[in-house]
Each structure stands twice: as structure tokens, then as C-alpha cells.
Amino acid sequence: MRPLLSSLACGLLFGVGLCVSGMSDPSNVIAFLDVTGKWSPNLAGVMLAAIAVHGSWLRWSARRAPTETLRPQPALGKRVDGALVGGAALFGVGWGLSGYCPGPAITALGSGALGALLFVLAMSIGMLLNEGLQWTTKRFGKASAIAP
């Protein structure tokens, strides 16, 4: 029960942070990406604040963990492959075109914005297609550009 409450609290804090910072409004994201027009540095400030909070959490949890196995560890031994590069490119193109990434899009669903609904629908379809591709790859052994 405690992990569920902790997850709920983190999700609520994340959603409130997105709303307070204005990052659930895609026009703010698009303004950050518009470096030749009316550029807005707000998203950079939100990113820096998030990095500071996460860095602080990593330092705190590393001191607090009683054993080495419980301390946060970087993902060592992971390769940069076509699936990672393709997924990152697809994420970036979707983010740039729509102004949404997954967290803000889900947060914006509460406003009833049609763009957020379409983004979450497209994202869900993409996730289902990827799961199907991974299942096919595991089942039939076919190589895929997207599935790991």
C-alpha cells in the first residue's frame, strides 16, 4: 500500500509542477523550440529545476541506502542502438510538432484539450504497436529497427 501512495504523491506533485510551470500548455514548449522567433527560456528553467531536484534526490538516497545494492545505479552496459536512436528521434519529432510530451499531455487531458487527447491516443497506439513488434520479434526471431 505504501508504494502506491508514494507513487500517487509523486504523480500529483509532477502534475501540479507541470501546471504551475505552464508546461502543460504546448504553446510554451513550442515557444522554447522557436529559436528564430519569439523564443522563451521557460522550459530551460523547468528542466534545470528538475535536474536539481533529481540530483539532490540521488545524493540523499545514496547516503541513506544501507547497502550498495539499494543505492541508485546508472544503467551501465546499455548500448546505443537503432532502437534507441529511432525512438529518441520519434519522440523529438512528436514533441516538436505537437508541443506535448507524455507527462504534460496526460496532465492536459484534464483540461479537455483536443490536441492532448489526440496526442495521448497516438502515443497509446504507438506503444501498442511497439509491444506487438517486440512480441513478434521474440516469437519469430525477426530483427526490428524499433524493438530492442
Side-chain angles (χ1 to χ4, degrees):
M1 185 68 168
R2 189 172 176 176
L4 287 175
L5 290 175
S6 176
S7 297
L8 177 64
C10 289
L12 287 172
L13 180 63
F14 181 65
V16 167
L18 288 172
C19 290
V20 168
S21 67
M23 291 303 118
S24 59
D25 181 357
S27 65
N28 289 327
V29 174
I30 291 171
F32 174 74
L33 298 173
D34 185 10
V35 294
T36 61
K38 294 183 178 182
W39 183 74
S40 170
N42 292 348
L43 180 58
V46 171
M47 287 182 193
L48 288 172
I51 290 168
V53 168
H54 184 69
S56 299
W57 176 82
L58 285 174
R59 288 188 64 95
W60 176 80
S61 60
R63 284 190 202 138
R64 188 164 175 183
T67 65
E68 188 68 33
T69 57
L70 294 178
R71 291 185 185 148
Q73 300 292 321
L76 300 175
K78 300 291 182 182
R79 313 177 299 152
V80 175
D81 57 6
L84 177 64
V85 172
L90 188 60
F91 175 86
V93 168
W95 186 45
L97 290 174
S98 69
Y100 286 115
C101 67
I106 292 170
T107 302
L109 283 177
S111 71
L114 180 62
L117 178 64
L118 292 174
F119 180 88
V120 171
L121 181 63
M123 178 180 69
S124 300
I125 291 169
M127 291 166 67
L128 289 172
L129 287 173
N130 185 53
E131 286 295 319
L133 204 56
Q134 286 186 23
W135 179 84
T136 303
T137 301
K138 287 178 185 172
R139 173 112 176 158
F140 300 109
K142 302 278 184 196
S144 166
I146 298 174

